[in-house]
Amino acid sequence: TGMDDVSTHKWFGIATASLAFLVCLSALLNRPEKANPIYRTGIILCAILVSITGYYGGEITYGHGYLTELIWHSKPPSSSRPADTIYP
């Protein structure tokens, strides 16, 4: 799964950069006074792709479940004195 995560992150990054380039090209070729729905949609899709790409980057860096570990946390250690595990 480690290599799959890297590959997924890479391809989402390529898709994000490609879409951002097309959105910028669209902005340059069209007059800014026009409310261009293609530009607006592209910007929203870029934001979504950046979020997804960042999520997969975090999965690579911090491990699986890093984003939801505080929501779906497991039980704390059964030790009654947690300081014992830090300072033996």
Side-chain angles (χ1 to χ4, degrees), residues 36-68:
N36 189 352
I38 294 173
Y39 177 75
R40 288 184 190 185
T41 305
I43 290 291
I44 291 169
L45 286 175
C46 279
I48 291 169
L49 282 174
V50 165
S51 299
I52 293 170
T53 305
Y55 170 77
Y56 282 112
E59 288 277 314
I60 295 168
T61 305
Y62 301 113
H64 290 287
Y66 80 99
L67 192 60
T68 58

Side-chain angles (χ1 to χ4, degrees), residues 14-24 41-47 49:
I14 290 170
T16 303
S18 301
L19 181 63
F21 176 77
L22 292 175
V23 168
C24 287
T41 305
I43 290 291
I44 291 169
L45 286 175
C46 279
L49 282 174

Side-chain angles (χ1 to χ4, degrees), residues 2 7 35 53 69-70 88:
S7 180
T53 305
E69 71 183 3
L70 296 176

Side-chain angles (χ1 to χ4, degrees), residues 3-37:
M3 206 55 190
D4 293 337
D5 291 342
V6 173
S7 180
T8 303
H9 176 69
K10 176 182 81 171
W11 285 110
F12 268 108
I14 290 170
T16 303
S18 301
L19 181 63
F21 176 77
L22 292 175
V23 168
C24 287
L25 190 63
S26 168
L28 291 173
L29 295 177
N30 294 313
R31 284 187 262 156
E33 306 91 41
K34 275 172 93 173
N36 189 352

